[in-house]
Amino acid sequence: MTAAIRLLAFEYSQRNVVHGADRPFFANIRELARPPEGIMPAGTFGSAPTIAAVNGVLAGYPGTTPIAGTGLYNGSLGVNTDGSIFTDLAAPNCVQNYKGLGPKGINIGKKCTQVQVGLGNFFAIQVPLTKYNVLARTTYKAERRCFGVHPIQLHGVIDTR
């Protein structure tokens, strides 16, 4: 007789994403002085614009304050999603005309001279995962049946059981 045990198992699991912005302890860690829109230090592609030129553009935007000083502008310029420019990193002057993207964690720093972003908001604390597992197993025990005596040769040894 032969006895058999058969097993078939199937497992499914799904894990959803957990964003850093969803957890207060992770939301505003690692403040980085770079807005998500990007900025270009003045003079990156040639000579820096003058402060008067930057003030001339800012004058067209409501609620802005002219940059103090004369000569070349030493800060950075960025472009808002509506196409207008903003100033950044021009200490001691405050950031001018920054409109932001709206997500949590983007803000103007305490000294008002730079736009900063909390990087924790953009990381996934837990990544999504869908998993399928299948296990199949069989175990059997076979009884040996002998009909008379049959010599079996294994590696040069004769077994006459």
Side-chain angles (χ1 to χ4, degrees):
M1 294 183 103
T2 302
I5 300 172
R6 293 182 181 95
L7 174 69
L8 178 63
F10 179 77
E11 177 188 24
Y12 165 80
S13 64
Q14 183 172 359
R15 180 176 71 192
N16 293 326
V17 67
V18 176
H19 296 284
D22 297 336
R23 298 294 187 259
F25 66 87
F26 200 78
N28 289 312
I29 62 170
R30 292 200 60 195
E31 294 284 337
L32 179 67
R34 297 286 186 267
E37 299 89 347
I39 54 174
M40 296 173 292
T44 300
F45 301 104
S47 62
T50 64
I51 292 175
V54 173
N55 284 337
V57 174
L58 290 176
Y61 304 136
T64 59
T65 304
I67 302 293
T70 60
L72 297 178
Y73 175 71
N74 67 347
S76 295
L77 298 171
V79 180
N80 290 306
T81 54
D82 66 358
S84 62
I85 68 163
F86 65 90
T87 63
D88 193 24
L89 301 171
N93 298 289
C94 289
V95 172
Q96 297 294 316
N97 198 46
Y98 181 68
K99 297 181 180 174
L101 296 174
K104 300 175 186 175
I106 299 174
N107 56 64
I108 295 176
K110 293 177 184 174
K111 295 181 181 179
C112 84
T113 60
Q114 67 185 17
V115 176
Q116 60 189 22
V117 59
L119 292 180
N121 294 308
F122 301 98
F123 290 114
I125 298 173
Q126 174 176 290
V127 296
L129 175 69
T130 302
K131 184 169 63 170
Y132 302 91
N133 290 322
V134 176
L135 169 72
R137 179 179 177 185
T138 184
T139 305
Y140 62 92
K141 180 178 180 185
E143 293 181 7
R144 184 173 187 180
R145 293 186 182 193
C146 293
F147 299 102
V149 177
H150 296 79
I152 301 172
Q153 185 173 0
L154 290 175
H155 305 290
V157 176
I158 296 178
D159 182 358
T160 58
R161 288 185 274 176

